[in-house]
Amino acid sequence: MADLQDDLHPAAEAGRVGEPYPEEAVVVGPEEYEPVSDPDDAPLTRARAVLAAHPVADGYSGLPQALRGLPWYDLDLGESAVDADVPRLRKGQVGAVFWSLHLPEGPGGDRAVGATLEQLDLAKAVVDAHAEGLRAARTAGQVVDARNCGRVAVLFGPAGAAALGDSLSVLRSLHTLGLRVITLAGASWAGAAGLTRFGEEVVREMNRLGMVADLSHASTPTIRRALALSKAPVMFTRSAARDLRPHPANLPDELLAEVGEAKGLCLVPLTAEQAGPTVRDVADHLDHIRTLAGPECVGLSGTYDTRSAHPRELGDTSCYPTLIAELLRRGWEESDVALLTWGNVQRVLRGADFTAHAARQRRPPSTATIAELDG
């Protein structure tokens, strides 16, 4: 039977907030942020000033799937058939975006692996064809480099758990190809009862590789086990506050508090279904989660190009300054806004990279199989 390679250092492992990173892992962020001091500045002007130093890191975009159905497009010039082209990303001051590789029909087995590879191939081709505006990135450092070169950093993922084909070898191959985030839901090893033994080994291997676990749409037992098991910060790429708006992917207050304790990151989706029909509704969710989990544990997920209805005033990616202006009107400190838009995603990416750096020193690639562990 394969060695499960159990954790050797359970509590003090890499990637926790408050623990210094090794010198070689430190990533220099954007230019030093200087708060806007003029109290008479209009909130929208102040919002643009904050975003100029700390642009939006958008946690979820369905653009690859949306482009698949178009006979021709040019994201550099502008594309009215989608919510996110380069001009609107720049107008919205977006510096990085996660491109979803989720499959619309949810095929299983080998078909899911192949379909995910097709999605990844398309996403790479789109970035390559728009090199003046987009640049692929895997690490926090590469995200900063892209931003400093005037490009929008594109990170590939999340992809569904079915994309692994119940194989850690496939997981490693997807990582090699550039996949950054896996959603731990919709697989036999990450279901309503929580993570199985194989599911736990998937999380350990993701930590070793530096891949981020996405827990949106996961069951509560899966969420709690992943929070306890993962040595790197986890993300919820599309989760708002359930107490404000009931939705299966939104999180109840007790889970939001646990996310804060684990220093995970909850990315609030800008969709009417999950957050509400107005920009004020979205701001209510951000206020609520910041209060419960802390300012370092909340971020933004545009969820554009997913066929979802969006709140008024937030119809596409150019509208982020409007949301930030609303938060400033509510008295958000500009330092907290900087965490919301940019700093918190950077922290998660750095934490994943640091955890992988430490884990690779003590454990080789896992040879476990689902048959051995789950029977």
Side-chain angles (χ1 to χ4, degrees):
M1 177 173 173
D3 181 3
L4 299 188
Q5 302 160 352
D6 292 331
D7 300 327
L8 301 180
H9 309 286
E13 195 58 46
R16 297 300 190 192
V17 168
E19 186 177 61
Y21 294 104
E23 183 174 350
E24 67 270 21
V26 172
V27 177
V28 178
E31 65 262 23
E32 187 66 23
Y33 169 62
E34 296 182 2
V36 179
S37 57
D38 187 350
D40 296 326
D41 278 352
L44 192 58
T45 300
R46 292 174 60 209
R48 290 185 177 126
V50 175
L51 290 173
H54 290 266
V56 172
D58 184 335
Y60 194 96
S61 169
L63 187 60
Q65 182 63 32
L67 293 176
R68 184 178 289 277
L70 299 181
W72 184 89
Y73 51 85
D74 190 328
L75 298 181
D76 286 331
L77 291 177
E79 181 53 64
S80 61
V82 297
D83 298 329
D85 52 30
V86 172
R88 280 179 285 176
L89 287 167
R90 285 178 171 159
K91 185 177 179 181
Q93 294 174 276
V94 176
V97 59
F98 289 82
W99 278 4
S100 166
L101 303 179
H102 284 146
L103 306 175
E105 302 301 326
D110 293 339
R111 176 57 188 147
V113 178
T116 301
L117 290 173
E118 291 171 0
Q119 289 275 74
L120 182 55
D121 182 66
L122 170 65
K124 288 184 172 185
V126 172
V127 173
D128 291 343
H130 300 84
E132 292 301 311
L134 307 175
R135 178 176 292 185
R138 301 189 185 199
T139 67
Q142 290 175 2
V143 168
V144 171
D145 288 344
R147 184 256 178 166
N148 288 341
C149 292
R151 309 299 196 271
V152 177
V154 176
L155 300 105
F156 300 126
L164 275 60
D166 298 335
S167 169
L168 297 179
S169 296
V170 173
L171 173 66
R172 287 188 286 271
S173 296
L174 289 170
H175 172 261
T176 299
L177 292 172
L179 184 64
R180 201 68 174 94
V181 185
I182 293 285
T183 301
L184 301 185
S188 63
W189 43 267
L195 294 174
T196 67
R197 295 176 69 201
F198 180 76
E200 293 179 351
E201 192 69 354
V202 169
V203 173
R204 294 188 187 101
E205 191 65 9
M206 289 176 67
N207 282 178
R208 196 190 69 83
L209 293 170
M211 298 181 77
V212 179
D214 168 28
L215 298 176
S216 282
H217 292 275
S219 67
T220 297
T222 294
I223 291 171
R224 288 198 161 116
R225 183 57 185 143
L227 288 174
L229 182 64
S230 179
K231 304 305 179 185
V234 302
M235 290 199 308
F236 295 78
T237 60
R238 294 164 295 159
S239 293
R242 189 178 296 176
D243 282 26
L244 298 186
R245 196 166 186 89
H247 187 278
N250 289 351
L251 300 180
D253 284 359
E254 61 268 22
L255 277 182
L256 287 171
E258 292 176 32
V259 171
E261 292 172 3
K263 299 305 177 187
L265 178 57
C266 182
L267 302 169
V268 173
L270 309 189
T271 66
E273 181 182 11
Q274 285 187 250
T278 71
V279 66
R280 292 182 178 180
D281 293 320
V282 176
D284 287 343
H285 285 270
L286 296 171
D287 277 337
H288 190 82
I289 295 171
R290 182 181 66 151
T291 299
L292 286 173
E296 72 280 7
C297 297
V298 61
L300 300 173
S301 179
T303 323
Y304 290 109
D305 291 305
T306 61
R307 300 183 178 179
S308 298
H310 296 280
R312 292 188 295 273
E313 301 180 277
L314 299 176
D316 60 47
T317 55
S318 70
C319 301
Y320 278 110
T322 302
L323 174 59
I324 301 309
E326 173 64 22
L327 298 178
L328 293 173
R329 291 187 190 98
R330 294 178 177 221
W332 278 52
E333 295 290 338
E334 291 168 10
S335 57
D336 283 356
V337 173
L339 287 175
L340 172 81
T341 59
W342 183 261
N344 290 338
V345 167
Q346 282 288 94
R347 173 183 66 82
V348 169
L349 293 175
R350 289 196 306 267
D353 291 340
F354 178 47
T355 299
H357 176 83
R360 287 172 182 171
Q361 307 304 310
R362 64 180 181 82
R363 54 176 282 154
S366 175
T367 58
T369 68
I370 192 169
E372 291 172 328
L373 299 185
D374 293 349

